[in-house]
Amino acid sequence: MSSPAYDVLPELNNPAEAALLARIQRYFRQAIHTLPKKDQSRALAAPDDFWTLMETLALVPVQESPELRVRLRGTLARRRLLEQEGGVVSPSSVAKLLHISRQAVGQRRVAGKLLGVETPTGYLYPIWQFDGSEPMPGIEETLAALKDHDPWMQFIFFLTNNDATSGRRPLDLLRKGKPQAVLRAAELYGVQATA
């Protein structure tokens, strides 16, 4: 007897849809059976069905394609970054916040004055880079120092503890009014990896 909340096999009249759903269900039934309870809980904690699917795929052993698992984990890590510190907003929301046009938002991003990351649905801007209706003091200078890094690496820089900032996150230092320390860390960012 199935619960209406978990009705996973609706009536399908199209034989191709029914066959596809049967294959997917067979794969996931086996995959879920192999997941430890903590991983099942982690997948269920995702915000919606799509991300539950992504979490499950990233957690199950994929013998056929280990690179798929790596790519899925990268996608999940990016989603988690986007959710941190208040999340992200659309170009339209940034335009309203800064009292400029949407095109001006894009121009500032291209010029390296705003951090925006490209996603399948378009560019998104982390809300943490703003202080009221202005970019947080020190953001533009830090982004200029990080210009040789792609936007995702810039995003990671701000939200990750950094040896050059005594183990603190650059974003936290900017909030405390210490842009010079963040700027020095940005100038050193990636130097160890390339040396």
Side-chain angles (χ1 to χ4, degrees):
M1 185 167 139
S2 73
S3 165
Y6 298 105
D7 185 17
V8 293
L9 276 179
E11 290 292 322
L12 296 175
N13 296 326
N14 179 325
E17 287 179 5
L20 180 60
L21 186 57
R23 280 184 146 186
I24 291 169
Q25 182 189 25
R26 192 168 43 251
Y27 173 81
F28 278 104
R29 182 177 290 142
Q30 180 181 6
I32 291 167
H33 181 69
T34 65
L35 281 180
K37 294 275 187 233
K38 68 176 180 59
D39 289 342
Q40 290 176 14
S41 296
R42 182 174 170 182
L44 283 171
D48 58 34
D49 293 343
F50 175 76
W51 289 109
T52 298
L53 170 69
M54 297 295 284
E55 287 281 1
T56 303
L57 285 172
L59 292 167
V60 298
V62 184
Q63 294 175 346
E64 303 83 19
S65 177
E67 64 272 5
L68 173 62
R69 181 182 243 182
V70 170
R71 292 179 80 189
L72 286 169
R73 286 186 176 166
T75 299
L76 291 168
R78 286 180 177 187
R79 177 183 61 89
R80 288 183 190 113
L81 275 175
L82 295 177
E83 293 172 346
Q84 288 187 34
E85 296 293 333
V88 290
V89 293
S90 69
S92 298
S93 296
V94 174
K96 287 179 188 171
L97 180 71
L98 300 180
H99 308 290
I100 59 176
S101 71
R102 209 180 144 171
Q103 292 76 16
V105 170
Q107 290 167 350
R108 286 190 184 189
R109 178 186 46 76
V110 170
K113 295 177 185 266
L114 287 178
L115 176 57
V117 291
E118 190 171 13
T119 70
T121 58
Y123 282 95
L124 295 173
Y125 296 80
I127 196 69
W128 48 255
Q129 71 183 311
F130 302 106
D131 183 14
S133 61
E134 293 292 323
M136 182 184 299
I139 284 284
E140 289 184 19
E141 296 82 0
T142 305
L143 288 173
L146 295 170
K147 70 181 182 310
D148 293 334
H149 299 281
D150 71 55
W152 284 105
M153 290 302 295
Q154 294 172 2
F155 209 116
I156 290 167
F157 168 80
F158 285 104
L159 297 179
T160 305
N161 295 340
N162 190 309
D163 289 340
T165 55
S166 302
R168 292 174 290 180
R169 297 183 322 166
L171 176 59
D172 296 332
L173 289 177
L174 285 179
R175 287 177 171 161
K176 290 182 179 185
K178 299 181 178 181
Q180 288 307 109
V182 175
L183 189 55
R184 280 192 303 276
E187 291 165 352
L188 295 172
Y189 192 54
V191 171
Q192 296 92 347
T194 59

